[in-house]
Amino acid sequence: MILPNFRNILLARNFIPRQNFYCLNRLIGTSSQGSHTTIALDNAPKPEVRKTKKNSNWKSYGFDYIDQRSDILYMHVTSFFLITVLFWGTVVLFLYYPDVDDNDWLHREAYIQLRRREILGLPLVDKNYVDPATVILPPDEELGDDDIII
């Protein structure tokens, strides 16, 4: 099965009528005389209609209601772009997007500080990380009987 060139399909599709409307030129007058009211020219050339094999079980995908081959071609092209380009393109963009939260830098800095504290013999996490003299706590009367979990 040889598929025609995609560009030629698009060009040919623009010139093929979708419905069986034929060119009927009618000149309608508004004079009161009955013989001058209507002139019909039915000898206009009829447009060419595509001759295609009809498959009685064929149901259109919605791209072309006349030609089965172009309908299937458009369906495959659209599916390719939706699945391959949009889905996998989004995945690639997500994976290669730069680290805006600096998570990599935070992890590296944490390992550097842990290594420095091990070398100096300091505890890894100081229990007085914030100076207790600078912390202002409410008095016991304000807290009342509420349970405080630290």
Side-chain angles (χ1 to χ4, degrees), residues 113 116-117 123-135:
Q113 291 300 322
R116 182 185 66 84
R117 291 181 79 83
L124 297 180
V125 179
D126 190 11
K127 69 176 186 174
N128 289 326
Y129 182 74
V130 177
D131 186 17
T134 60
V135 177

Side-chain angles (χ1 to χ4, degrees), residues 15 33 52 59 62 70 74 82 92 125 134 136:
F15 297 107
Q33 298 175 355
T52 59
K59 198 79 157 162
S70 65
Y74 294 147
L82 286 177
V92 167
V125 179
T134 60
I136 301 171

Side-chain angles (χ1 to χ4, degrees), residues 29-38:
T30 58
S31 97
S32 61
Q33 298 175 355
S35 63
H36 297 289
T37 55
T38 304

Side-chain angles (χ1 to χ4, degrees), residues 8-81:
N8 292 339
I9 289 174
L10 290 177
L11 291 175
R13 187 173 185 216
N14 293 336
F15 297 107
I16 297 170
R18 292 283 178 196
Q19 298 164 348
N20 294 330
F21 291 121
Y22 297 109
C23 297
L24 296 176
N25 297 328
R26 295 191 181 269
L27 302 175
I28 299 174
T30 58
S31 97
S32 61
Q33 298 175 355
S35 63
H36 297 289
T37 55
T38 304
I39 299 172
L41 301 175
D42 290 335
N43 57 359
K46 307 246 189 262
E48 293 181 21
V49 179
R50 283 191 278 194
K51 305 276 187 192
T52 59
K53 290 189 288 183
K54 286 282 188 175
N55 184 355
S56 62
N57 294 329
W58 172 55
K59 198 79 157 162
S60 175
Y61 290 105
F63 296 99
D64 193 346
Y65 294 101
I66 298 171
D67 190 12
Q68 181 180 4
R69 288 176 58 190
S70 65
D71 186 46
I72 292 172
L73 176 69
Y74 294 147
M75 184 266 305
H76 285 296
V77 169
T78 304
S79 299
F80 171 77
F81 279 108

